[in-house]
Amino acid sequence: MKDMQTVIMQLIINSGDARSSAMGAIDSAKAGSIPKARKQLKKAADALTKAHQSQTKIIQEEAKGNIKSVSILLAHAQDHLMNAITVIDMARDFVDLYELLYEKTATKRTPRRKRQPQSALQGTKKRTTAVQKT
């Protein structure tokens, strides 16, 4: 097995990549590019899987008794992982919301039929007043 610090660094790197891709997905969705956002969410999920694989290696080593204490680096790595998980979950919701928003506003912007301008009096009865001459 690779040395533990290398595995911990892989956890940090992949967690950071996952978070960055999730934030990119939010930016893409905000700009109206939902397909691009979905691809970025997939990229985030793939990076998260790699991060979880590193975490699993660390847990297995601890279960074997090979890890005697928790280092600041390991705590930092776990913090990155939890942050990535949270941002990915939120990014999925944001992308869904932006998609819904753009679908709703797109239907409102599409004209159903071309309307002719109406005058202020159209559709009302004309009233005439008798003018009396004195």
Side-chain angles (χ1 to χ4, degrees):
M1 181 177 160
K2 297 177 183 177
D3 114 306
M4 189 52 55
Q5 285 188 338
T6 302
V7 176
I8 292 171
M9 288 306 296
Q10 288 175 336
L11 177 56
I12 292 170
I13 290 166
N14 288 313
S15 296
D17 289 348
R19 182 187 178 283
S20 294
S21 293
M23 291 301 295
I26 294 171
D27 290 341
S28 294
K30 186 176 182 179
S33 182
I34 302 302
K36 182 178 178 182
R38 297 273 179 220
K39 286 178 186 174
Q40 288 171 306
L41 284 175
K42 171 73 170 102
K43 187 177 174 183
D46 292 345
L48 187 62
T49 296
K50 290 178 185 177
H52 273 127
Q53 290 168 348
S54 296
Q55 183 190 42
T56 300
K57 289 177 187 176
I58 294 166
I59 291 169
Q60 288 171 341
E61 287 302 307
E62 184 178 1
K64 292 177 188 175
N66 295 336
I67 298 176
K68 304 297 180 200
S69 64
V70 176
S71 68
I72 291 293
L73 188 61
L74 180 55
H76 181 67
Q78 286 296 122
D79 186 45
H80 271 270
L81 178 62
M82 294 307 297
N83 190 14
I85 292 168
T86 301
V87 172
I88 289 170
D89 287 345
M90 289 178 60
R92 286 183 182 128
D93 286 341
F94 272 108
V95 171
D96 290 345
L97 285 171
Y98 276 117
E99 183 176 37
L100 183 62
L101 175 70
Y102 286 119
E103 285 174 359
K104 294 283 186 187
T105 57
T107 57
K108 286 183 180 178
R109 284 190 229 149
T110 306
R112 293 185 190 134
R113 62 188 167 114
K114 190 172 182 177
R115 291 184 176 194
Q116 298 297 323
Q118 295 181 353
S119 72
L121 295 178
Q122 195 173 13
T124 62
K125 291 183 181 179
K126 292 183 183 180
R127 293 187 180 133
T128 56
T129 29
V131 180
Q132 294 178 356
K133 292 183 184 181
T134 54

